[in-house]
Short mmCIF file of all heavy atoms in Angstrom, two decimals:
data_model
loop_
_atom_site.label_atom_id
_atom_site.label_comp_id
_atom_site.label_asym_id
_atom_site.label_seq_id
_atom_site.Cartn_x
_atom_site.Cartn_y
_atom_site.Cartn_z
N MET A 1 -16.87 19.93 -93.53
CA MET A 1 -15.56 19.62 -94.04
C MET A 1 -15.22 20.47 -95.28
O MET A 1 -16.03 20.62 -96.17
CB MET A 1 -15.48 18.13 -94.44
CG MET A 1 -15.03 17.19 -93.30
SD MET A 1 -13.40 17.64 -92.67
CE MET A 1 -12.34 17.04 -94.01
N MET A 2 -14.04 20.97 -95.28
CA MET A 2 -13.58 21.74 -96.38
C MET A 2 -13.19 20.78 -97.56
O MET A 2 -12.46 19.83 -97.35
CB MET A 2 -12.32 22.53 -96.00
CG MET A 2 -11.84 23.51 -97.03
SD MET A 2 -12.68 25.08 -96.95
CE MET A 2 -11.80 25.84 -95.59
N GLN A 3 -13.73 21.06 -98.69
CA GLN A 3 -13.35 20.25 -99.86
C GLN A 3 -12.29 21.02 -100.64
O GLN A 3 -12.46 22.17 -101.01
CB GLN A 3 -14.58 20.02 -100.76
CG GLN A 3 -15.41 18.86 -100.29
CD GLN A 3 -16.45 18.54 -101.37
OE1 GLN A 3 -17.50 19.14 -101.42
NE2 GLN A 3 -16.13 17.58 -102.21
N LEU A 4 -11.21 20.37 -100.87
CA LEU A 4 -10.08 21.01 -101.56
C LEU A 4 -9.92 20.59 -103.01
O LEU A 4 -9.10 21.08 -103.71
CB LEU A 4 -8.78 20.78 -100.82
CG LEU A 4 -8.73 21.41 -99.41
CD1 LEU A 4 -7.40 21.12 -98.74
CD2 LEU A 4 -8.98 22.90 -99.44
N GLU A 5 -10.76 19.64 -103.41
CA GLU A 5 -10.71 19.21 -104.81
C GLU A 5 -11.97 19.66 -105.53
O GLU A 5 -13.06 19.51 -105.03
CB GLU A 5 -10.54 17.70 -104.90
CG GLU A 5 -9.14 17.27 -104.52
CD GLU A 5 -8.82 15.85 -105.02
OE1 GLU A 5 -9.76 15.09 -105.23
OE2 GLU A 5 -7.62 15.56 -105.19
N SER A 6 -11.80 20.21 -106.68
CA SER A 6 -12.91 20.69 -107.47
C SER A 6 -12.75 20.22 -108.90
O SER A 6 -11.61 20.17 -109.40
CB SER A 6 -12.96 22.23 -107.41
OG SER A 6 -14.06 22.72 -108.13
N THR A 7 -13.85 19.85 -109.52
CA THR A 7 -13.77 19.43 -110.92
C THR A 7 -14.06 20.65 -111.81
O THR A 7 -15.14 21.21 -111.77
CB THR A 7 -14.79 18.32 -111.19
OG1 THR A 7 -14.55 17.24 -110.31
CG2 THR A 7 -14.69 17.85 -112.63
N LEU A 8 -13.07 21.03 -112.56
CA LEU A 8 -13.22 22.16 -113.48
C LEU A 8 -13.71 21.63 -114.82
O LEU A 8 -13.19 20.65 -115.35
CB LEU A 8 -11.87 22.87 -113.68
CG LEU A 8 -11.37 23.72 -112.53
CD1 LEU A 8 -9.95 24.25 -112.86
CD2 LEU A 8 -12.28 24.91 -112.27
N THR A 9 -14.74 22.30 -115.36
CA THR A 9 -15.27 21.93 -116.67
C THR A 9 -14.99 23.05 -117.65
O THR A 9 -15.39 24.18 -117.44
CB THR A 9 -16.79 21.69 -116.60
OG1 THR A 9 -17.04 20.70 -115.60
CG2 THR A 9 -17.32 21.22 -117.94
N CYS A 10 -14.29 22.73 -118.73
CA CYS A 10 -13.95 23.73 -119.72
C CYS A 10 -15.21 24.09 -120.51
O CYS A 10 -15.93 23.24 -120.98
CB CYS A 10 -12.92 23.14 -120.68
SG CYS A 10 -12.58 24.19 -122.11
N PRO A 11 -15.49 25.41 -120.61
CA PRO A 11 -16.70 25.87 -121.31
C PRO A 11 -16.60 25.70 -122.82
O PRO A 11 -17.62 25.71 -123.52
CB PRO A 11 -16.81 27.34 -120.93
CG PRO A 11 -15.40 27.74 -120.63
CD PRO A 11 -14.71 26.52 -120.06
N SER A 12 -15.38 25.54 -123.35
CA SER A 12 -15.31 25.47 -124.79
C SER A 12 -15.26 24.04 -125.33
O SER A 12 -15.78 23.75 -126.39
CB SER A 12 -14.14 26.31 -125.32
OG SER A 12 -12.96 25.59 -125.37
N CYS A 13 -14.66 23.08 -124.56
CA CYS A 13 -14.62 21.71 -125.10
C CYS A 13 -15.27 20.70 -124.17
O CYS A 13 -15.44 19.54 -124.53
CB CYS A 13 -13.20 21.31 -125.43
SG CYS A 13 -12.19 20.95 -123.98
N GLY A 14 -15.59 21.13 -122.95
CA GLY A 14 -16.25 20.22 -122.01
C GLY A 14 -15.32 19.31 -121.27
O GLY A 14 -15.75 18.48 -120.49
N HIS A 15 -13.98 19.47 -121.46
CA HIS A 15 -13.02 18.65 -120.77
C HIS A 15 -13.10 18.92 -119.26
O HIS A 15 -13.23 20.07 -118.84
CB HIS A 15 -11.60 18.98 -121.26
CG HIS A 15 -10.53 18.22 -120.59
ND1 HIS A 15 -10.19 16.92 -120.98
CD2 HIS A 15 -9.71 18.52 -119.56
CE1 HIS A 15 -9.20 16.49 -120.18
NE2 HIS A 15 -8.89 17.44 -119.32
N GLN A 16 -13.05 17.86 -118.51
CA GLN A 16 -13.10 18.01 -117.03
C GLN A 16 -11.79 17.57 -116.43
O GLN A 16 -11.19 16.59 -116.84
CB GLN A 16 -14.25 17.20 -116.44
CG GLN A 16 -15.62 17.67 -116.87
CD GLN A 16 -16.75 16.99 -116.16
OE1 GLN A 16 -16.68 15.80 -115.91
NE2 GLN A 16 -17.73 17.76 -115.77
N SER A 17 -11.36 18.31 -115.44
CA SER A 17 -10.14 17.92 -114.72
C SER A 17 -10.34 18.22 -113.24
O SER A 17 -10.93 19.23 -112.87
CB SER A 17 -8.90 18.62 -115.27
OG SER A 17 -8.99 20.00 -115.02
N VAL A 18 -9.89 17.28 -112.41
CA VAL A 18 -9.98 17.47 -110.97
C VAL A 18 -8.72 18.21 -110.53
O VAL A 18 -7.61 17.78 -110.79
CB VAL A 18 -10.10 16.12 -110.24
CG1 VAL A 18 -10.09 16.34 -108.74
CG2 VAL A 18 -11.35 15.41 -110.70
N GLU A 19 -8.91 19.35 -109.89
CA GLU A 19 -7.79 20.17 -109.45
C GLU A 19 -7.87 20.38 -107.95
O GLU A 19 -8.95 20.51 -107.39
CB GLU A 19 -7.81 21.55 -110.15
CG GLU A 19 -7.79 21.48 -111.66
CD GLU A 19 -6.45 20.98 -112.20
OE1 GLU A 19 -5.41 21.15 -111.51
OE2 GLU A 19 -6.43 20.41 -113.30
N THR A 20 -6.73 20.46 -107.32
CA THR A 20 -6.66 20.78 -105.92
C THR A 20 -6.58 22.30 -105.77
O THR A 20 -5.76 22.95 -106.40
CB THR A 20 -5.42 20.13 -105.27
OG1 THR A 20 -5.54 18.70 -105.44
CG2 THR A 20 -5.39 20.43 -103.78
N MET A 21 -7.45 22.84 -104.92
CA MET A 21 -7.51 24.28 -104.75
C MET A 21 -6.55 24.73 -103.65
O MET A 21 -6.50 24.11 -102.61
CB MET A 21 -8.93 24.70 -104.41
CG MET A 21 -9.93 24.38 -105.49
SD MET A 21 -11.60 24.94 -105.09
CE MET A 21 -12.14 23.70 -103.93
N PRO A 22 -5.85 25.81 -103.91
CA PRO A 22 -5.04 26.41 -102.84
C PRO A 22 -5.95 27.04 -101.78
O PRO A 22 -7.00 27.61 -102.12
CB PRO A 22 -4.21 27.48 -103.56
CG PRO A 22 -5.01 27.84 -104.76
CD PRO A 22 -5.77 26.59 -105.15
N THR A 23 -5.59 26.89 -100.50
CA THR A 23 -6.46 27.43 -99.46
C THR A 23 -6.18 28.89 -99.13
O THR A 23 -6.94 29.54 -98.49
CB THR A 23 -6.32 26.61 -98.17
OG1 THR A 23 -4.94 26.60 -97.79
CG2 THR A 23 -6.79 25.19 -98.37
N ASP A 24 -5.04 29.36 -99.60
CA ASP A 24 -4.59 30.70 -99.18
C ASP A 24 -4.55 31.69 -100.34
O ASP A 24 -4.05 32.80 -100.18
CB ASP A 24 -3.23 30.60 -98.50
CG ASP A 24 -2.21 29.95 -99.44
OD1 ASP A 24 -2.62 29.41 -100.49
OD2 ASP A 24 -1.00 30.00 -99.12
N ALA A 25 -5.02 31.28 -101.49
CA ALA A 25 -4.97 32.20 -102.61
C ALA A 25 -6.09 31.85 -103.58
O ALA A 25 -6.59 30.74 -103.58
CB ALA A 25 -3.63 32.08 -103.34
N CYS A 26 -6.46 32.83 -104.36
CA CYS A 26 -7.46 32.60 -105.41
C CYS A 26 -6.74 32.34 -106.70
O CYS A 26 -5.75 33.01 -107.03
CB CYS A 26 -8.40 33.79 -105.55
SG CYS A 26 -9.60 33.88 -104.23
N GLN A 27 -7.20 31.36 -107.45
CA GLN A 27 -6.58 31.03 -108.71
C GLN A 27 -7.41 31.63 -109.84
O GLN A 27 -8.58 31.25 -110.02
CB GLN A 27 -6.44 29.51 -108.86
CG GLN A 27 -5.61 29.10 -110.04
CD GLN A 27 -5.44 27.58 -110.12
OE1 GLN A 27 -5.39 26.92 -109.11
NE2 GLN A 27 -5.33 27.06 -111.33
N PHE A 28 -6.85 32.54 -110.57
CA PHE A 28 -7.62 33.25 -111.60
C PHE A 28 -7.63 32.55 -112.95
O PHE A 28 -8.51 32.76 -113.75
CB PHE A 28 -7.08 34.66 -111.76
CG PHE A 28 -7.08 35.49 -110.54
CD1 PHE A 28 -5.91 35.76 -109.86
CD2 PHE A 28 -8.28 35.95 -110.01
CE1 PHE A 28 -5.91 36.54 -108.70
CE2 PHE A 28 -8.30 36.70 -108.84
CZ PHE A 28 -7.10 36.99 -108.18
N PHE A 29 -6.58 31.76 -113.19
CA PHE A 29 -6.44 31.15 -114.50
C PHE A 29 -6.26 29.65 -114.40
O PHE A 29 -5.73 29.14 -113.41
CB PHE A 29 -5.24 31.75 -115.25
CG PHE A 29 -5.29 33.22 -115.39
CD1 PHE A 29 -4.50 34.03 -114.61
CD2 PHE A 29 -6.18 33.80 -116.29
CE1 PHE A 29 -4.57 35.43 -114.74
CE2 PHE A 29 -6.26 35.18 -116.42
CZ PHE A 29 -5.46 35.98 -115.66
N HIS A 30 -6.70 28.96 -115.43
CA HIS A 30 -6.44 27.53 -115.54
C HIS A 30 -6.36 27.18 -117.02
O HIS A 30 -7.22 27.57 -117.80
CB HIS A 30 -7.59 26.74 -114.89
CG HIS A 30 -7.49 25.26 -115.15
ND1 HIS A 30 -6.64 24.47 -114.44
CD2 HIS A 30 -8.15 24.46 -115.99
CE1 HIS A 30 -6.76 23.23 -114.88
NE2 HIS A 30 -7.69 23.20 -115.80
N ASP A 31 -5.34 26.45 -117.38
CA ASP A 31 -5.20 26.03 -118.76
C ASP A 31 -5.89 24.70 -118.94
O ASP A 31 -5.54 23.72 -118.31
CB ASP A 31 -3.70 25.91 -119.15
CG ASP A 31 -3.03 27.28 -119.23
OD1 ASP A 31 -3.69 28.23 -119.67
OD2 ASP A 31 -1.86 27.40 -118.85
N CYS A 32 -6.84 24.67 -119.88
CA CYS A 32 -7.55 23.42 -120.17
C CYS A 32 -6.61 22.43 -120.82
O CYS A 32 -5.88 22.78 -121.78
CB CYS A 32 -8.72 23.70 -121.12
SG CYS A 32 -9.49 22.19 -121.74
N LYS A 33 -6.58 21.22 -120.30
CA LYS A 33 -5.71 20.20 -120.86
C LYS A 33 -6.32 19.54 -122.08
O LYS A 33 -5.68 18.80 -122.80
CB LYS A 33 -5.35 19.16 -119.80
CG LYS A 33 -4.52 19.70 -118.66
CD LYS A 33 -4.22 18.64 -117.63
CE LYS A 33 -3.50 19.23 -116.45
NZ LYS A 33 -4.34 20.16 -115.65
N GLY A 34 -7.59 19.83 -122.32
CA GLY A 34 -8.25 19.26 -123.49
C GLY A 34 -8.00 20.05 -124.74
O GLY A 34 -7.60 19.52 -125.75
N CYS A 35 -8.24 21.36 -124.70
CA CYS A 35 -8.14 22.18 -125.91
C CYS A 35 -7.14 23.28 -125.78
O CYS A 35 -6.90 24.01 -126.75
CB CYS A 35 -9.52 22.74 -126.29
SG CYS A 35 -10.17 23.92 -125.09
N GLY A 36 -6.58 23.51 -124.59
CA GLY A 36 -5.57 24.54 -124.43
C GLY A 36 -6.11 25.92 -124.14
O GLY A 36 -5.35 26.89 -123.98
N THR A 37 -7.41 26.04 -124.07
CA THR A 37 -8.02 27.35 -123.75
C THR A 37 -7.63 27.75 -122.31
O THR A 37 -7.62 26.92 -121.41
CB THR A 37 -9.58 27.25 -123.84
OG1 THR A 37 -9.93 26.99 -125.21
CG2 THR A 37 -10.24 28.55 -123.37
N GLN A 38 -7.33 29.01 -122.16
CA GLN A 38 -7.07 29.48 -120.81
C GLN A 38 -8.37 29.96 -120.19
O GLN A 38 -8.99 30.93 -120.63
CB GLN A 38 -6.05 30.64 -120.82
CG GLN A 38 -5.68 31.05 -119.40
CD GLN A 38 -4.68 32.21 -119.39
OE1 GLN A 38 -4.94 33.29 -119.87
NE2 GLN A 38 -3.52 31.99 -118.80
N LEU A 39 -8.82 29.24 -119.16
CA LEU A 39 -10.02 29.63 -118.46
C LEU A 39 -9.70 30.80 -117.54
O LEU A 39 -8.69 30.78 -116.86
CB LEU A 39 -10.56 28.47 -117.61
CG LEU A 39 -10.78 27.11 -118.28
CD1 LEU A 39 -11.58 26.22 -117.36
CD2 LEU A 39 -11.49 27.25 -119.61
N LYS A 40 -10.57 31.80 -117.54
CA LYS A 40 -10.39 32.93 -116.65
C LYS A 40 -11.64 33.04 -115.80
O LYS A 40 -12.71 32.73 -116.24
CB LYS A 40 -10.23 34.22 -117.47
CG LYS A 40 -8.88 34.33 -118.17
CD LYS A 40 -8.63 35.76 -118.66
CE LYS A 40 -9.16 36.00 -120.04
NZ LYS A 40 -8.40 35.37 -121.12
N SER A 41 -11.46 33.49 -114.60
CA SER A 41 -12.64 33.70 -113.74
C SER A 41 -13.58 34.69 -114.38
O SER A 41 -13.19 35.65 -114.98
CB SER A 41 -12.21 34.16 -112.35
OG SER A 41 -11.47 35.35 -112.45
N LEU A 42 -14.87 34.40 -114.26
CA LEU A 42 -15.89 35.30 -114.85
C LEU A 42 -16.04 36.52 -114.02
O LEU A 42 -15.68 36.55 -112.82
CB LEU A 42 -17.23 34.55 -114.92
CG LEU A 42 -17.28 33.28 -115.75
CD1 LEU A 42 -18.65 32.62 -115.59
CD2 LEU A 42 -17.01 33.60 -117.23
N ALA A 43 -16.54 37.60 -114.60
CA ALA A 43 -16.79 38.82 -113.87
C ALA A 43 -17.69 38.53 -112.68
O ALA A 43 -18.71 37.86 -112.81
CB ALA A 43 -17.46 39.86 -114.77
N GLY A 44 -17.32 38.99 -111.50
CA GLY A 44 -18.08 38.75 -110.30
C GLY A 44 -17.66 37.53 -109.55
O GLY A 44 -18.04 37.34 -108.40
N ASP A 45 -16.88 36.66 -110.17
CA ASP A 45 -16.37 35.49 -109.49
C ASP A 45 -14.92 35.73 -109.11
O ASP A 45 -14.19 36.42 -109.84
CB ASP A 45 -16.45 34.25 -110.38
CG ASP A 45 -17.87 33.70 -110.46
OD1 ASP A 45 -18.66 33.91 -109.53
OD2 ASP A 45 -18.18 33.06 -111.48
N CYS A 46 -14.51 35.15 -108.00
CA CYS A 46 -13.16 35.43 -107.51
C CYS A 46 -12.11 34.54 -108.15
O CYS A 46 -10.95 34.90 -108.20
CB CYS A 46 -13.11 35.24 -105.99
SG CYS A 46 -13.50 33.58 -105.48
N CYS A 47 -12.50 33.40 -108.67
CA CYS A 47 -11.49 32.48 -109.19
C CYS A 47 -12.16 31.49 -110.15
O CYS A 47 -13.38 31.41 -110.21
CB CYS A 47 -10.81 31.75 -108.04
SG CYS A 47 -11.92 30.77 -107.07
N VAL A 48 -11.33 30.74 -110.85
CA VAL A 48 -11.88 29.81 -111.84
C VAL A 48 -12.72 28.70 -111.19
O VAL A 48 -13.61 28.17 -111.82
CB VAL A 48 -10.77 29.14 -112.68
CG1 VAL A 48 -10.13 30.15 -113.63
CG2 VAL A 48 -9.71 28.47 -111.82
N PHE A 49 -12.43 28.43 -109.92
CA PHE A 49 -13.23 27.37 -109.28
C PHE A 49 -14.65 27.82 -109.01
O PHE A 49 -15.60 27.02 -109.10
CB PHE A 49 -12.56 26.93 -107.95
CG PHE A 49 -11.20 26.35 -108.17
CD1 PHE A 49 -10.04 27.02 -107.81
CD2 PHE A 49 -11.07 25.11 -108.76
CE1 PHE A 49 -8.80 26.49 -108.07
CE2 PHE A 49 -9.81 24.55 -109.01
CZ PHE A 49 -8.68 25.23 -108.66
N CYS A 50 -14.82 29.11 -108.71
CA CYS A 50 -16.19 29.61 -108.53
C CYS A 50 -16.94 29.73 -109.85
O CYS A 50 -18.15 29.64 -109.89
CB CYS A 50 -16.14 30.97 -107.82
SG CYS A 50 -15.66 30.84 -106.07
N SER A 51 -16.20 29.92 -110.94
CA SER A 51 -16.82 30.04 -112.24
C SER A 51 -17.07 28.73 -112.90
O SER A 51 -18.13 28.49 -113.48
CB SER A 51 -15.95 30.90 -113.16
OG SER A 51 -15.84 32.23 -112.71
N TYR A 52 -16.12 27.82 -112.81
CA TYR A 52 -16.20 26.58 -113.60
C TYR A 52 -16.10 25.32 -112.78
O TYR A 52 -16.21 24.21 -113.32
CB TYR A 52 -15.08 26.58 -114.64
CG TYR A 52 -15.12 27.75 -115.59
CD1 TYR A 52 -14.18 28.77 -115.49
CD2 TYR A 52 -16.13 27.85 -116.54
CE1 TYR A 52 -14.24 29.86 -116.34
CE2 TYR A 52 -16.19 28.94 -117.39
CZ TYR A 52 -15.25 29.92 -117.29
OH TYR A 52 -15.30 31.02 -118.12
N GLY A 53 -15.86 25.45 -111.49
CA GLY A 53 -15.65 24.26 -110.66
C GLY A 53 -16.93 23.68 -110.12
O GLY A 53 -17.97 24.33 -110.09
N SER A 54 -16.86 22.45 -109.63
CA SER A 54 -17.99 21.78 -109.04
C SER A 54 -18.16 22.20 -107.58
O SER A 54 -19.19 21.95 -106.97
CB SER A 54 -17.82 20.26 -109.15
OG SER A 54 -16.65 19.85 -108.50
N VAL A 55 -17.11 22.77 -107.02
CA VAL A 55 -17.10 23.13 -105.60
C VAL A 55 -16.55 24.56 -105.51
O VAL A 55 -15.59 24.88 -106.19
CB VAL A 55 -16.15 22.18 -104.81
CG1 VAL A 55 -16.09 22.57 -103.35
CG2 VAL A 55 -16.62 20.75 -104.98
N PRO A 56 -17.20 25.43 -104.73
CA PRO A 56 -16.64 26.77 -104.58
C PRO A 56 -15.30 26.76 -103.85
O PRO A 56 -14.99 25.79 -103.15
CB PRO A 56 -17.70 27.49 -103.76
CG PRO A 56 -18.49 26.44 -103.09
CD PRO A 56 -18.45 25.23 -103.97
N CYS A 57 -14.56 27.80 -104.00
CA CYS A 57 -13.21 27.80 -103.45
C CYS A 57 -13.22 27.87 -101.92
O CYS A 57 -14.22 28.23 -101.29
CB CYS A 57 -12.42 28.98 -104.03
SG CYS A 57 -13.05 30.59 -103.53
N PRO A 58 -12.11 27.47 -101.31
CA PRO A 58 -12.05 27.40 -99.84
C PRO A 58 -12.49 28.64 -99.10
O PRO A 58 -13.20 28.53 -98.09
CB PRO A 58 -10.59 27.03 -99.57
CG PRO A 58 -10.18 26.27 -100.77
CD PRO A 58 -10.90 26.93 -101.94
N PRO A 59 -12.08 29.85 -99.51
CA PRO A 59 -12.53 31.04 -98.77
C PRO A 59 -14.03 31.17 -98.76
O PRO A 59 -14.61 31.65 -97.78
CB PRO A 59 -11.87 32.19 -99.53
CG PRO A 59 -10.64 31.58 -100.16
CD PRO A 59 -11.09 30.20 -100.54
N VAL A 60 -14.68 30.76 -99.84
CA VAL A 60 -16.14 30.80 -99.88
C VAL A 60 -16.75 29.76 -98.98
O VAL A 60 -17.71 30.00 -98.25
CB VAL A 60 -16.65 30.65 -101.34
CG1 VAL A 60 -18.17 30.53 -101.39
CG2 VAL A 60 -16.20 31.84 -102.20
N GLN A 61 -16.16 28.57 -99.02
CA GLN A 61 -16.68 27.48 -98.18
C GLN A 61 -16.56 27.82 -96.70
O GLN A 61 -17.39 27.44 -95.88
CB GLN A 61 -15.86 26.20 -98.44
CG GLN A 61 -16.13 25.57 -99.79
CD GLN A 61 -15.32 24.28 -99.94
OE1 GLN A 61 -15.34 23.40 -99.08
NE2 GLN A 61 -14.56 24.18 -101.03
N SER A 62 -15.50 28.55 -96.34
CA SER A 62 -15.26 28.81 -94.93
C SER A 62 -16.10 29.97 -94.40
O SER A 62 -16.15 30.16 -93.19
CB SER A 62 -13.78 29.09 -94.68
OG SER A 62 -13.40 30.26 -95.36
N SER A 63 -16.74 30.72 -95.29
CA SER A 63 -17.62 31.76 -94.82
C SER A 63 -18.98 31.61 -95.46
O SER A 63 -19.23 32.17 -96.52
CB SER A 63 -17.02 33.15 -95.11
OG SER A 63 -16.56 33.22 -96.45
N PRO A 64 -19.83 30.82 -94.80
CA PRO A 64 -21.16 30.48 -95.36
C PRO A 64 -22.03 31.69 -95.59
O PRO A 64 -22.97 31.65 -96.35
CB PRO A 64 -21.74 29.51 -94.35
CG PRO A 64 -20.93 29.66 -93.14
CD PRO A 64 -19.58 30.18 -93.51
N THR A 65 -21.77 32.79 -94.88
CA THR A 65 -22.61 33.98 -95.06
C THR A 65 -22.20 34.77 -96.26
O THR A 65 -22.92 35.65 -96.71
CB THR A 65 -22.58 34.88 -93.82
OG1 THR A 65 -21.20 35.19 -93.53
CG2 THR A 65 -23.17 34.16 -92.61
N ALA A 66 -21.00 34.52 -96.75
CA ALA A 66 -20.52 35.29 -97.90
C ALA A 66 -21.27 34.87 -99.15
O ALA A 66 -21.71 33.72 -99.28
CB ALA A 66 -19.01 35.05 -98.09
N ALA A 67 -21.39 35.79 -100.05
CA ALA A 67 -21.99 35.50 -101.33
C ALA A 67 -21.06 34.59 -102.10
O ALA A 67 -19.90 34.39 -101.75
CB ALA A 67 -22.28 36.78 -102.12
N TRP A 68 -21.56 34.02 -103.20
CA TRP A 68 -20.76 33.21 -104.09
C TRP A 68 -19.62 34.08 -104.62
O TRP A 68 -19.82 34.99 -105.41
CB TRP A 68 -21.66 32.71 -105.24
CG TRP A 68 -21.11 31.74 -106.17
CD1 TRP A 68 -20.66 31.99 -107.42
CD2 TRP A 68 -20.91 30.35 -105.96
NE1 TRP A 68 -20.22 30.83 -108.00
CE2 TRP A 68 -20.33 29.82 -107.12
CE3 TRP A 68 -21.15 29.51 -104.85
CZ2 TRP A 68 -20.04 28.46 -107.26
CZ3 TRP A 68 -20.83 28.16 -104.98
CH2 TRP A 68 -20.28 27.65 -106.19
N GLY A 69 -18.43 33.82 -104.17
CA GLY A 69 -17.30 34.66 -104.54
C GLY A 69 -16.60 35.15 -103.29
O GLY A 69 -17.23 35.51 -102.32
N CYS A 70 -15.28 35.08 -103.31
CA CYS A 70 -14.55 35.38 -102.02
C CYS A 70 -13.90 36.77 -102.07
O CYS A 70 -13.94 37.43 -103.09
CB CYS A 70 -13.46 34.34 -101.79
SG CYS A 70 -12.22 34.20 -103.09
ZN1 ZN B 1 -11.14 22.97 -123.27
#
């Protein structure tokens, strides 16, 4: 089953928020609702969900042979 909800954890304040991931696009940015920091995907990661989320993004989930990152 594809999981479309991922819990993003802010690296600067630890605030967590559950976000729904788009299935057809990678999301590069997320504004932390706790401290206002703009989370950006880390080098080598395709999106903020792969960098900071509890669940990898849908394109990664749908291709199990792919490396971490879509
Ligand atoms: Zn924060």
Side-chain angles (χ1 to χ4, degrees):
M1 271 301 287
M2 187 85 79
Q3 277 191 276
L4 295 180
E5 288 198 335
S6 182
T7 303
L8 287 174
T9 304
C10 172
S12 89
C13 74
H15 179 82
Q16 294 188 319
S17 65
V18 177
E19 302 292 334
T20 301
M21 298 183 281
T23 55
D24 57 349
C26 285
Q27 189 177 328
F28 302 107
F29 303 106
H30 171 78
D31 290 324
C32 172
K33 293 180 185 68
C35 66
T37 296
Q38 185 181 60
L39 309 191
K40 288 194 272 286
S41 56
L42 299 174
D45 284 334
C46 61
C47 61
V48 289
F49 297 108
C50 289
S51 294
Y52 302 108
S54 59
V55 179
C57 66
V60 173
Q61 290 181 51
S62 64
S63 47
T65 55
W68 187 255
C70 59

